[in-house]
Amino acid sequence: SVTGEFNGCTDTKSLNVSVLPSPTLNILGLLPTTTTQSMSPLICNGDSVLLSNNGILIPGANTFTWSTGSNNATVIVKPTANTVYSLQVSNGICTQTNTYTLTVFSGNPFTLSNQTVCAGNTVTLNPNPTGSYTFISTGNTTVHIGNTYTYTATTPQQYTVSTGLANCAYSQTVSIGLMNILINASSV
């Protein structure tokens, strides 16, 4: 209450003040094809992500402003490069802003050529550029992880070579052929 006096007159007025809690922000990134929160803001190029706030809101008194221009509580984004998204939530009096960064994994497309070697020779699979690769032979009989893979060729073989994240790996199949040299020995 407030009491005022003017020229010998006194008056008291009361005013009720309501304190609204500030909205809180906790932006989540969800892949729309799953019901679980993304464990990492690292996504594959071409993935769509649902961004939403799971903070404390005041029912019916919130406005949303995303950096995408959307005023919805959630927004679906499909970035092709690393992007920082911001969300501003207001309850009419208090405003909170938070950001969420999505990192787009572009992978390293690589080159690897088919080879033909003589039986018994050493073959080295050496993808370019240098990186961490998984080499899997036909029938999954050999699995090797590393920068290169070397083995002795005894039969024709195919290898699937991949790199990247498990959910957005890039792969290429390479064939190793054998050249047979026929020696025709004839009687002299």
Side-chain angles (χ1 to χ4, degrees):
S1 66
V2 175
T3 302
E5 182 180 334
F6 181 72
N7 289 332
C9 297
T10 303
D11 194 13
T12 302
K13 297 288 182 189
S14 296
L15 175 67
N16 291 327
V17 177
S18 297
V19 178
L20 298 175
S22 291
T24 60
L25 289 178
N26 183 19
I27 300 174
L28 294 179
L30 304 169
L31 296 174
T33 56
T34 67
T35 58
T36 58
Q37 177 185 353
S38 172
M39 294 280 96
S40 168
L42 181 63
I43 63 168
C44 301
N45 193 357
D47 279 352
S48 293
V49 178
L50 174 73
L51 298 178
S52 69
N53 173 47
N54 79 335
I56 300 168
L57 302 176
I58 301 165
N62 295 289
T63 60
F64 300 89
T65 306
W66 289 92
S67 56
T68 62
S70 174
N71 293 321
N72 295 322
T74 62
V75 64
I76 295 178
V77 295
K78 189 175 184 178
T80 57
N82 298 348
T83 306
V84 178
Y85 295 94
S86 65
L87 170 62
Q88 183 180 68
V89 176
S90 174
N91 62 12
I93 297 171
C94 302
T95 300
Q96 294 288 331
T97 301
N98 203 350
T99 61
Y100 190 82
T101 302
L102 282 174
T103 303
V104 178
F105 178 77
S106 60
N108 290 329
F110 59 94
T111 58
L112 192 59
S113 299
N114 294 335
Q115 299 180 37
T116 301
V117 298
C118 293
N121 283 2
T122 300
V123 174
T124 299
L125 301 176
N126 187 13
N128 183 23
T130 301
S132 179
Y133 295 92
T134 302
F135 302 85
I136 302 174
S137 66
T138 303
N140 297 326
T141 56
T142 303
V143 177
H144 175 78
I145 298 174
N147 292 329
T148 62
Y149 176 60
T150 302
Y151 73 100
T152 302
T154 56
T155 60
Q157 187 66 264
Q158 282 192 331
Y159 281 85
T160 299
V161 182
S162 60
T163 186
L165 300 173
N167 62 337
C168 52
Y170 295 87
S171 65
Q172 177 181 343
T173 300
V174 62
S175 296
I176 309 302
L178 293 184
M179 184 179 346
N180 293 319
I181 300 176
L182 297 175
I183 299 177
N184 188 0
S186 58
S187 302
V188 179

